[in-house]
Amino acid sequence: MPTITPHIVWDWNGTLFHDTEAVVGATNAAFAEFGVAPITLEQYRELYCVPIPRFYERMMGRAPTGAEWEVMDGVFHRYYGEHSTRCGLAEGAETLLTGWQQAGHSQSILSMYGHEELVPLVRGLGIDRHFLRVEGRTGTAGGSKAEHMVRHLGALDAVRAESTVVIGDAADDAVAAHAVGARAVLYTGGTHSRGRLEATGAVVVDTLAEAVEVAHGAFEQG
């Protein structure tokens, strides 16, 4: 039988890319357009969910209209585009990427951040060489990652779901992993609280170094 190479699918925002404060700021800028009070990072981690219009419904007390969603989404992305330029990789991320690759394993990025924005950002940070595939969202914003994960793994000929660990910062990353039969490791440094991450049943860690250790251990144990 052919050798199965261990593979990590990395999330981007809030995981490899440490931008959570910019995301919360952009969310509050969007809320301000319709008089919704700003929220703290802790509140965001407890309340954020996908699809994103449902999150906005929680905060507004009603579902946003189509026109309101377009305005809020536009404000969010303008604010985020301005403030994310001051963000960078999570602590130790590049060392972890290098180490995983040097161990003979493979990795990719799947993000719900727009593909056209994601690819040059990863390239500009000088880490694109580590990945078999860098893939962002195409189409409408705000949905779940699960269907994108199915396509993502399907495009990686040498990768199998049973040899894959998804590392992300949100409950939706666990949903996406489950959709393809992969394992999930969830990181508390991003968009969801530890309690919400633990509720998924996935392994929860406080650092990306721990996440990679768990991935190594999963494959050592088979």
Side-chain angles (χ1 to χ4, degrees):
M1 294 180 61
T3 301
I4 297 177
T5 300
H7 184 80
I8 291 175
V9 177
W10 291 95
D11 175 56
W12 182 247
N13 303 98
T15 304
L16 283 178
F17 193 56
H18 186 59
D19 64 345
T20 308
E21 290 184 3
V23 168
V24 175
T27 299
N28 283 331
F31 288 165
E33 289 293 309
F34 296 95
V36 180
I39 60 175
T40 65
L41 173 58
E42 291 72 22
Q43 290 171 318
Y44 184 92
R45 285 174 167 162
E46 289 296 335
L47 296 169
Y48 173 75
C49 64
V50 294
I52 295 173
R54 187 179 301 161
F55 169 49
Y56 285 2
E57 181 178 357
R58 287 183 176 183
M59 302 308 303
M60 297 174 72
R62 60 175 176 80
T65 66
E68 287 172 337
W69 162 252
E70 287 186 14
V71 170
M72 296 175 83
D73 192 49
V75 170
F76 178 95
H77 284 96
R78 284 195 298 275
Y79 182 102
Y80 179 83
E82 294 171 5
H83 291 79
S84 63
T85 57
R86 296 195 292 270
C87 302
L89 293 174
E91 183 178 356
E94 187 161 9
T95 298
L96 295 170
L97 296 174
T98 299
W100 184 259
Q101 187 175 35
Q102 289 177 344
H105 307 329
S106 62
Q107 52 200 330
S108 60
I109 292 175
L110 176 62
S111 173
M112 296 302 284
Y113 189 42
H115 184 76
E116 297 302 319
E117 294 78 26
L118 174 66
V119 171
L121 179 53
V122 173
R123 186 181 300 124
L125 289 167
I127 59 171
D128 54 308
R129 67 188 185 280
H130 294 298
F131 306 106
L132 296 180
R133 186 177 182 87
V134 175
E135 186 173 6
R137 173 190 49 77
T138 56
T140 306
S144 173
K145 183 180 280 188
E147 62 185 82
H148 299 273
M149 185 67 73
V150 172
R151 291 195 295 269
H152 183 75
L153 283 191
L156 297 172
D157 293 335
V159 174
R160 298 291 177 267
E162 62 268 23
S163 66
T164 297
V165 168
V166 175
I167 298 179
D169 68 313
D172 193 47
D173 291 299
V175 173
H178 180 74
V180 295
R183 308 177 215 204
V185 180
L186 302 180
Y187 162 62
T188 61
T191 57
H192 278 177
S193 67
R194 170 174 280 276
R196 294 185 68 196
L197 297 178
E198 289 176 340
T200 68
V203 176
V204 178
V205 298
D206 295 319
T207 68
L208 294 185
E210 291 177 85
V212 173
E213 285 178 14
V214 171
H216 275 295
F219 298 122
E220 288 170 1
Q221 296 167 15

